[in-house]
Each structure stands twice: as C-alpha cells, then as structure tokens.
Amino acid sequence: MSDTAASGLKQSFQLKSASVSLTALELYYFDNDDFEANLRDKISQAPGFFKDIPLVISLEKYEGLDSELDFFKMIGTCRRHNIHVIGVRAGNDDQRRLARGASLALFPGSSPRDQAPARTKPDEASSPEAETSSPADVPTSEPAAAKIVSQTVRSGQQVYAPEGDLIILAPVQAGAEVLAAGNIHVYGPLRGRALAGIHGAETARVFCQSLEAELVSIAGHYKISEDLQDNGWKSAVQIQLRDDLLVVTPLDKA
C-alpha cells in the first residue's frame, strides 16, 4: 500500500512528460524603449501567433555579457502584450542568478560550453581503447519514424511529431497547427500554421500541395501569410531555410 493510500490523501495530480513548442527571443541588447517598439512591430505582423504564447529569452547572442539585465522590465513589457516569459536560455552566472530572482526557469544554451559535460568513468577516460576507437565502433540509432496523419487537421487542432517528420495526407485547415522536429509534408492545402525543425534543425523543410498558410516556421524563423503570398501562393511548393531566410520554391523547379 502506498503512503498516499495509507494516509487517506486523495491524489490531486499526476506528473507526466510533455513536449511543448516554445518560441525563443534572441536578445542582442536591451533598451526598454527599443525592446517594446520592436515587440510591437513583430506582434503587428502576426497578432494571432503571439497572443498568450510562452517565451524563452535567449542570451546566446547577447552583446552586453557583462551588463545586468532587468528581467522584471522585460517580463512586464511582454505581459502588457499578452506574451508570457517563462525562462532564460544560456547567459553567464550573474545573468542566470538575476533570471532566477525573477522566478524564471533556466534552460541550457546550444553552445558546447552551455551543455552538461558527458560523464565518463575514470578508467574509461584514460584507456587506450577509448582514445583509438573508430567511428564504426560507435553505436548508431535508427532515424525516427515519420508520423502519418490521414485525416483533415481541423481548426483548433494541433498535430505534433516530436522526433521525426510529419506527413499529412489531407488538408490542414485555417486555425490548425502542425509541428515537427523534422520535415512537414502536406498532401493537400496548407491553410493553418506549420512549424518544422522545432528543436533547431535548420535543414528541415515544409512541402505542401497548395500554400495558403497563416504562418510557416523553420527552426524558429518564420513568415506570415502576407509575406508568403509574394511567391508560390496557392501552388505546390517547398519552403527551406537559407542564410536565416525562408525561401519558397515551386516543387516543379526544386
């Protein structure tokens, strides 16, 4: 009998793992007036996309590494625009201390210095075998299987492939959202939002039979409907990332 059952305490919750798509704001410098002006400009481009989204402040490209950041001002500005800052990625020890003081979660950066070091046994670190092993000796994992959806993805629905490609054999309606760690293939009209490479895979692509999307994003770089209508609108295209810009190419010319 568990301690909970023995004490007669009713279980009020259960903890489960969850995969959540987050948007990162890469901060270059912080001036509160500039920050709010830039934020308003971004929101005006896609109001529906930014409403009530969770946001992570990324300090990997922040220029003032020795300056103190006022996270409370940043949080307040975002809240006025219905954006919720939940954490900070990367940053030095002082910046992470300030973030912790503002009740923000701390996320590791993508650079090697921000990653947790791999743990090795003392005898393995100095063994000749460890130093001379060939790449062929390293076990490799099978690529993640694609997630296949055969039904229409309707408004308000979200379909998520956390480890591989997402293949949809039907339309994606306006107001729907499809996300994948890898590529997204839509064998029908893409009218909702498509976010590929959500874990940072810049080689991910979006393919669709008719581009009518509200928003397309690859590795955090996005274009909204107004921008997408300039090229390939309502035709079969692929979308990929080149030099930090989304490029739309007709499938018959890919």
Side-chain angles (χ1 to χ4, degrees), residues 24-64:
L25 185 153
E26 287 189 337
L27 191 67
Y28 304 141
Y29 72 95
F30 182 68
D31 173 86
N32 196 49
D33 293 337
D34 288 355
F35 183 83
E36 183 153 18
N38 293 155
L39 193 62
R40 284 175 178 164
D41 180 59
K42 288 292 184 185
I43 292 171
S44 69
Q45 297 175 23
F49 176 73
F50 289 99
K51 183 175 175 57
D52 292 326
I53 65 166
L55 191 71
V56 174
I57 304 296
S58 174
L59 300 178
E60 292 178 303
K61 297 183 180 179
Y62 184 65
E63 297 173 355

Side-chain angles (χ1 to χ4, degrees), residues 146-149 159-161 164-168 178-180 183-185:
K147 181 173 183 176
I148 301 176
V149 176
V159 178
Y160 180 40
D165 290 359
L166 176 60
I167 300 173
I168 300 172
V178 293
L179 309 94
N183 305 307
I184 294 176
H185 305 255

